[in-house]
Short mmCIF file of all heavy atoms in Angstrom, two decimals:
data_model
loop_
_atom_site.label_atom_id
_atom_site.label_comp_id
_atom_site.label_asym_id
_atom_site.label_seq_id
_atom_site.Cartn_x
_atom_site.Cartn_y
_atom_site.Cartn_z
N GLY B 433 27.80 -50.56 7.96
CA GLY B 433 28.02 -49.44 7.05
C GLY B 433 26.89 -48.44 7.13
O GLY B 433 25.97 -48.55 7.94
N ARG B 434 26.91 -47.42 6.28
CA ARG B 434 25.87 -46.40 6.25
C ARG B 434 24.64 -46.96 5.54
O ARG B 434 24.73 -47.81 4.66
CB ARG B 434 26.38 -45.16 5.53
CG ARG B 434 27.61 -44.53 6.22
CD ARG B 434 27.79 -43.10 5.80
NE ARG B 434 28.00 -42.95 4.37
CZ ARG B 434 29.20 -42.94 3.79
NH1 ARG B 434 30.28 -43.10 4.52
NH2 ARG B 434 29.31 -42.77 2.50
N VAL B 435 23.45 -46.48 5.94
CA VAL B 435 22.19 -46.98 5.41
C VAL B 435 21.91 -46.35 4.06
O VAL B 435 21.96 -45.12 3.92
CB VAL B 435 21.04 -46.67 6.40
CG1 VAL B 435 19.72 -47.22 5.86
CG2 VAL B 435 21.36 -47.28 7.76
N LEU B 436 21.64 -47.16 3.05
CA LEU B 436 21.30 -46.64 1.73
C LEU B 436 19.96 -45.92 1.80
O LEU B 436 19.04 -46.33 2.49
CB LEU B 436 21.23 -47.79 0.72
CG LEU B 436 22.56 -48.52 0.44
CD1 LEU B 436 22.35 -49.66 -0.54
CD2 LEU B 436 23.60 -47.55 -0.10
N GLY B 437 19.85 -44.87 1.02
CA GLY B 437 18.63 -44.07 1.02
C GLY B 437 18.64 -42.95 2.02
O GLY B 437 17.78 -42.07 1.99
N LYS B 438 19.57 -42.98 2.98
CA LYS B 438 19.68 -41.93 3.98
C LYS B 438 20.85 -40.99 3.68
O LYS B 438 21.14 -40.10 4.48
CB LYS B 438 19.89 -42.55 5.38
CG LYS B 438 18.75 -43.48 5.81
CD LYS B 438 17.43 -42.73 5.90
CE LYS B 438 16.33 -43.65 6.37
NZ LYS B 438 15.02 -42.94 6.46
N GLU B 439 21.50 -41.22 2.57
CA GLU B 439 22.64 -40.39 2.21
C GLU B 439 22.16 -39.08 1.58
O GLU B 439 21.08 -39.00 0.99
CB GLU B 439 23.54 -41.14 1.22
CG GLU B 439 24.15 -42.41 1.76
CD GLU B 439 25.29 -42.12 2.72
OE1 GLU B 439 25.75 -40.97 2.75
OE2 GLU B 439 25.70 -43.04 3.44
N THR B 440 23.00 -38.05 1.70
CA THR B 440 22.74 -36.78 1.03
C THR B 440 23.67 -36.67 -0.17
O THR B 440 24.58 -37.49 -0.36
CB THR B 440 22.99 -35.60 2.00
OG1 THR B 440 24.38 -35.58 2.37
CG2 THR B 440 22.13 -35.75 3.26
N ASP B 441 23.44 -35.67 -0.97
CA ASP B 441 24.30 -35.47 -2.15
C ASP B 441 25.74 -35.20 -1.75
O ASP B 441 26.67 -35.52 -2.49
CB ASP B 441 23.76 -34.29 -2.98
CG ASP B 441 22.40 -34.61 -3.59
OD1 ASP B 441 22.11 -35.81 -3.75
OD2 ASP B 441 21.65 -33.66 -3.91
N ARG B 442 25.94 -34.63 -0.58
CA ARG B 442 27.30 -34.30 -0.16
C ARG B 442 28.03 -35.48 0.45
O ARG B 442 29.25 -35.53 0.46
CB ARG B 442 27.26 -33.14 0.85
CG ARG B 442 26.60 -31.87 0.31
CD ARG B 442 26.64 -30.74 1.30
NE ARG B 442 28.01 -30.30 1.55
CZ ARG B 442 28.34 -29.30 2.38
NH1 ARG B 442 27.39 -28.68 3.06
NH2 ARG B 442 29.59 -28.96 2.54
N THR B 443 27.27 -36.45 1.01
CA THR B 443 27.91 -37.58 1.69
C THR B 443 27.89 -38.87 0.87
O THR B 443 28.58 -39.83 1.24
CB THR B 443 27.22 -37.84 3.03
OG1 THR B 443 25.84 -38.19 2.79
CG2 THR B 443 27.27 -36.60 3.92
N ARG B 444 27.12 -38.89 -0.20
CA ARG B 444 26.95 -40.15 -0.93
C ARG B 444 28.28 -40.65 -1.51
O ARG B 444 28.55 -41.86 -1.54
CB ARG B 444 25.91 -39.96 -2.04
CG ARG B 444 25.56 -41.27 -2.77
CD ARG B 444 24.39 -41.07 -3.72
NE ARG B 444 23.17 -40.80 -2.98
CZ ARG B 444 22.52 -39.64 -2.99
NH1 ARG B 444 23.02 -38.63 -3.71
NH2 ARG B 444 21.42 -39.48 -2.29
N ALA B 445 29.10 -39.73 -1.98
CA ALA B 445 30.35 -40.14 -2.63
C ALA B 445 31.53 -40.21 -1.65
O ALA B 445 32.67 -40.41 -2.08
CB ALA B 445 30.68 -39.18 -3.77
N LEU B 446 31.28 -40.06 -0.34
CA LEU B 446 32.36 -40.03 0.65
C LEU B 446 32.39 -41.32 1.44
O LEU B 446 31.37 -41.97 1.68
CB LEU B 446 32.18 -38.85 1.60
CG LEU B 446 32.14 -37.44 0.98
CD1 LEU B 446 31.86 -36.39 2.05
CD2 LEU B 446 33.43 -37.12 0.26
N ASP B 447 33.61 -41.67 1.90
CA ASP B 447 33.72 -42.79 2.83
C ASP B 447 33.55 -42.25 4.26
O ASP B 447 33.25 -41.08 4.47
CB ASP B 447 35.07 -43.48 2.66
CG ASP B 447 36.24 -42.51 2.82
OD1 ASP B 447 36.01 -41.34 3.20
OD2 ASP B 447 37.37 -42.91 2.58
N ASN B 448 33.73 -43.13 5.25
CA ASN B 448 33.51 -42.72 6.64
C ASN B 448 34.45 -41.58 7.05
O ASN B 448 34.05 -40.65 7.76
CB ASN B 448 33.70 -43.91 7.58
CG ASN B 448 32.61 -44.95 7.37
OD1 ASN B 448 31.53 -44.63 6.87
ND2 ASN B 448 32.88 -46.20 7.76
N GLN B 449 35.70 -41.67 6.62
CA GLN B 449 36.65 -40.61 6.95
C GLN B 449 36.24 -39.28 6.29
O GLN B 449 36.35 -38.20 6.89
CB GLN B 449 38.07 -41.02 6.48
CG GLN B 449 39.15 -40.02 6.87
CD GLN B 449 39.34 -39.93 8.37
OE1 GLN B 449 39.02 -40.87 9.10
NE2 GLN B 449 39.82 -38.79 8.84
N GLY B 450 35.74 -39.37 5.06
CA GLY B 450 35.29 -38.15 4.37
C GLY B 450 34.09 -37.52 5.05
O GLY B 450 33.97 -36.29 5.13
N VAL B 451 33.15 -38.38 5.55
CA VAL B 451 31.99 -37.84 6.26
C VAL B 451 32.43 -37.12 7.52
O VAL B 451 31.91 -36.06 7.89
CB VAL B 451 31.01 -38.98 6.59
CG1 VAL B 451 29.88 -38.48 7.49
CG2 VAL B 451 30.42 -39.56 5.31
N LEU B 452 33.42 -37.70 8.23
CA LEU B 452 33.94 -37.07 9.45
C LEU B 452 34.57 -35.71 9.13
O LEU B 452 34.35 -34.71 9.83
CB LEU B 452 34.96 -37.99 10.12
CG LEU B 452 35.64 -37.43 11.38
CD1 LEU B 452 34.61 -37.11 12.46
CD2 LEU B 452 36.70 -38.40 11.89
N GLN B 453 35.35 -35.67 8.05
CA GLN B 453 35.96 -34.40 7.65
C GLN B 453 34.90 -33.37 7.25
O GLN B 453 35.02 -32.16 7.55
CB GLN B 453 36.93 -34.62 6.50
CG GLN B 453 38.16 -35.45 6.89
CD GLN B 453 39.07 -35.71 5.70
OE1 GLN B 453 38.76 -35.31 4.58
NE2 GLN B 453 40.19 -36.39 5.94
N LEU B 454 33.83 -33.84 6.59
CA LEU B 454 32.75 -32.93 6.21
C LEU B 454 32.08 -32.34 7.45
O LEU B 454 31.77 -31.14 7.50
CB LEU B 454 31.72 -33.67 5.35
CG LEU B 454 30.48 -32.87 4.95
CD1 LEU B 454 30.84 -31.65 4.11
CD2 LEU B 454 29.50 -33.77 4.19
N GLN B 455 31.86 -33.19 8.46
CA GLN B 455 31.24 -32.70 9.69
C GLN B 455 32.14 -31.67 10.38
O GLN B 455 31.65 -30.65 10.88
CB GLN B 455 30.98 -33.88 10.63
CG GLN B 455 30.27 -33.51 11.92
CD GLN B 455 28.86 -33.01 11.67
OE1 GLN B 455 28.26 -33.37 10.67
NE2 GLN B 455 28.34 -32.19 12.57
N GLN B 456 33.45 -31.93 10.38
CA GLN B 456 34.36 -30.97 10.97
C GLN B 456 34.36 -29.65 10.20
O GLN B 456 34.43 -28.56 10.78
CB GLN B 456 35.77 -31.56 11.02
CG GLN B 456 35.91 -32.74 11.98
CD GLN B 456 37.27 -33.40 11.90
OE1 GLN B 456 38.06 -33.10 10.99
NE2 GLN B 456 37.57 -34.30 12.84
N GLN B 457 34.27 -29.73 8.87
CA GLN B 457 34.21 -28.53 8.05
C GLN B 457 32.94 -27.72 8.34
O GLN B 457 32.97 -26.49 8.45
CB GLN B 457 34.27 -28.89 6.56
CG GLN B 457 34.17 -27.68 5.63
CD GLN B 457 34.14 -28.10 4.17
OE1 GLN B 457 34.33 -29.26 3.85
NE2 GLN B 457 33.90 -27.14 3.30
N LEU B 458 31.82 -28.42 8.49
CA LEU B 458 30.57 -27.74 8.82
C LEU B 458 30.66 -27.04 10.17
O LEU B 458 30.13 -25.93 10.35
CB LEU B 458 29.41 -28.74 8.81
CG LEU B 458 29.02 -29.32 7.44
CD1 LEU B 458 27.94 -30.36 7.60
CD2 LEU B 458 28.55 -28.21 6.51
N MET B 459 31.33 -27.67 11.12
CA MET B 459 31.48 -27.04 12.43
C MET B 459 32.35 -25.79 12.33
O MET B 459 32.08 -24.78 12.98
CB MET B 459 32.09 -28.05 13.42
CG MET B 459 31.17 -29.23 13.73
SD MET B 459 31.93 -30.45 14.83
CE MET B 459 32.11 -29.47 16.31
N ARG B 460 33.41 -25.86 11.50
CA ARG B 460 34.24 -24.66 11.31
C ARG B 460 33.43 -23.54 10.65
O ARG B 460 33.56 -22.36 11.02
CB ARG B 460 35.47 -25.00 10.48
CG ARG B 460 36.52 -25.82 11.23
CD ARG B 460 37.84 -25.83 10.48
NE ARG B 460 37.69 -26.44 9.16
CZ ARG B 460 37.88 -27.73 8.91
NH1 ARG B 460 38.24 -28.56 9.91
NH2 ARG B 460 37.74 -28.23 7.69
N GLU B 461 32.61 -23.89 9.66
CA GLU B 461 31.78 -22.88 9.00
C GLU B 461 30.77 -22.27 9.97
O GLU B 461 30.49 -21.08 9.92
CB GLU B 461 31.05 -23.50 7.81
CG GLU B 461 31.98 -23.88 6.66
CD GLU B 461 31.23 -24.58 5.53
OE1 GLU B 461 30.02 -24.82 5.68
OE2 GLU B 461 31.85 -24.88 4.51
N GLN B 462 30.27 -23.10 10.87
CA GLN B 462 29.34 -22.57 11.88
C GLN B 462 30.05 -21.58 12.79
O GLN B 462 29.50 -20.53 13.14
CB GLN B 462 28.75 -23.71 12.70
CG GLN B 462 27.70 -23.25 13.71
CD GLN B 462 27.18 -24.39 14.56
OE1 GLN B 462 27.80 -25.44 14.63
NE2 GLN B 462 26.06 -24.18 15.20
N ASP B 463 31.30 -21.90 13.17
CA ASP B 463 32.05 -20.95 13.99
C ASP B 463 32.29 -19.64 13.25
O ASP B 463 32.20 -18.55 13.84
CB ASP B 463 33.40 -21.58 14.40
CG ASP B 463 33.21 -22.76 15.35
OD1 ASP B 463 32.15 -22.84 16.01
OD2 ASP B 463 34.13 -23.59 15.42
N GLU B 464 32.59 -19.74 11.93
CA GLU B 464 32.79 -18.52 11.14
C GLU B 464 31.50 -17.70 11.05
O GLU B 464 31.54 -16.47 11.12
CB GLU B 464 33.29 -18.88 9.74
CG GLU B 464 34.68 -19.48 9.72
CD GLU B 464 35.09 -19.97 8.35
OE1 GLU B 464 34.24 -19.88 7.43
OE2 GLU B 464 36.21 -20.42 8.18
N ASP B 465 30.36 -18.40 10.91
CA ASP B 465 29.08 -17.69 10.85
C ASP B 465 28.79 -16.98 12.16
O ASP B 465 28.24 -15.87 12.18
CB ASP B 465 27.95 -18.67 10.52
CG ASP B 465 28.09 -19.24 9.12
OD1 ASP B 465 28.71 -18.57 8.28
OD2 ASP B 465 27.57 -20.35 8.87
N VAL B 466 29.15 -17.62 13.27
CA VAL B 466 28.96 -16.98 14.57
C VAL B 466 29.82 -15.72 14.66
O VAL B 466 29.40 -14.68 15.19
CB VAL B 466 29.28 -17.97 15.70
CG1 VAL B 466 29.29 -17.25 17.06
CG2 VAL B 466 28.27 -19.10 15.73
N ASP B 467 31.05 -15.79 14.13
CA ASP B 467 31.92 -14.61 14.13
C ASP B 467 31.32 -13.49 13.29
O ASP B 467 31.37 -12.32 13.67
CB ASP B 467 33.30 -14.99 13.59
CG ASP B 467 34.05 -15.94 14.53
OD1 ASP B 467 33.71 -15.97 15.73
OD2 ASP B 467 34.97 -16.63 14.06
N VAL B 468 30.75 -13.86 12.12
CA VAL B 468 30.13 -12.84 11.26
C VAL B 468 28.94 -12.20 11.97
O VAL B 468 28.75 -10.98 11.93
CB VAL B 468 29.67 -13.48 9.92
CG1 VAL B 468 28.82 -12.50 9.11
CG2 VAL B 468 30.88 -13.90 9.10
N LEU B 469 28.14 -13.03 12.65
CA LEU B 469 27.01 -12.50 13.39
C LEU B 469 27.47 -11.57 14.52
O LEU B 469 26.84 -10.54 14.79
CB LEU B 469 26.18 -13.66 13.96
CG LEU B 469 24.88 -13.29 14.68
CD1 LEU B 469 23.95 -12.54 13.74
CD2 LEU B 469 24.19 -14.53 15.22
N ALA B 470 28.57 -11.93 15.16
CA ALA B 470 29.12 -11.07 16.22
C ALA B 470 29.58 -9.73 15.65
O ALA B 470 29.38 -8.68 16.26
CB ALA B 470 30.26 -11.78 16.93
#
Side-chain angles (χ1 to χ4, degrees):
R434 300 200 299 269
V435 181
L436 295 178
K438 301 298 182 181
E439 297 285 346
T440 64
D441 293 337
R442 301 183 66 179
T443 61
R444 186 172 292 112
L446 301 176
D447 56 7
N448 293 338
Q449 184 65 25
V451 172
L452 177 60
Q453 294 177 358
L454 176 61
Q455 183 65 26
Q456 293 174 350
Q457 178 184 352
L458 291 176
M459 294 177 65
R460 287 194 299 268
E461 291 176 356
Q462 184 183 17
D463 293 338
E464 293 174 357
D465 294 335
V466 171
D467 293 338
V468 171
L469 185 59

